[in-house]
Amino acid sequence: FRRPVWGPIACEITTKSVNTAAYLEQHVPNSFLKAYVVECKEDYNLLYREVREKRRLAINVVLVENGKLSNISRMYSDRKLRVLKQDHGVMGYLDESFSAPDAIVEALR
């Protein structure tokens, strides 16, 4: 492989609590949690060919170019999110409830 290959995704995630693990399981399809993440098209093609075509095993592969996080714009401003946390018990955004390599976080976004 030319770049790191991550996965299955579920094995790369460390949740901050049992509750956040349950939230992830409820919101991310099981098939996606079993997927692998690659950082370049050549690795995607190689992994897919070796596992799916040659060994005839089902596999999902997600491509995250260069394994980098992209900038995202949040639905709520920091001020609004603070109010939601204080007054309504919102814990934050789901991608803030676990830690994982950047490529995994980007794949889950």
Side-chain angles (χ1 to χ4, degrees):
F1 293 105
R2 294 172 185 237
R3 302 204 30 102
V5 175
W6 305 96
I9 288 175
C11 294
E12 303 288 351
I13 297 170
T14 302
T15 57
K16 295 182 179 177
S17 73
V18 173
N19 287 340
T20 57
Y23 299 150
L24 271 173
E25 289 174 357
Q26 291 172 1
H27 288 88
V28 179
N30 192 32
S31 61
F32 199 78
L33 290 173
K34 295 176 184 176
Y36 289 80
V37 177
V38 296
E39 298 182 7
C40 69
K41 187 66 174 170
E42 295 85 2
D43 288 349
Y44 178 97
N45 293 335
L46 176 62
L47 184 60
Y48 189 84
R49 184 175 57 249
E50 291 297 320
V51 175
R52 180 66 171 171
E53 293 174 1
K54 289 185 179 179
R55 297 181 188 193
R56 303 224 186 281
L57 297 172
I59 187 171
N60 292 321
V61 183
V62 179
L63 174 60
V64 175
E65 284 293 337
N66 298 317
K68 304 226 184 219
L69 283 173
S70 61
N71 291 329
I72 59 170
S73 96
R74 297 292 190 180
M75 180 182 288
Y76 300 109
S77 66
D78 290 342
R79 182 173 169 261
K80 177 69 175 176
L81 188 58
R82 244 187 334 274
V83 169
L84 290 170
K85 286 179 178 181
Q86 272 182 328
D87 298 346
H88 302 286
V90 172
M91 293 173 31
Y93 294 100
L94 188 57
D95 66 350
E96 298 171 338
S97 69
F98 63 89
S99 60
D102 287 352
I104 299 294
V105 175
E106 182 64 23
L108 287 166
R109 285 183 174 171

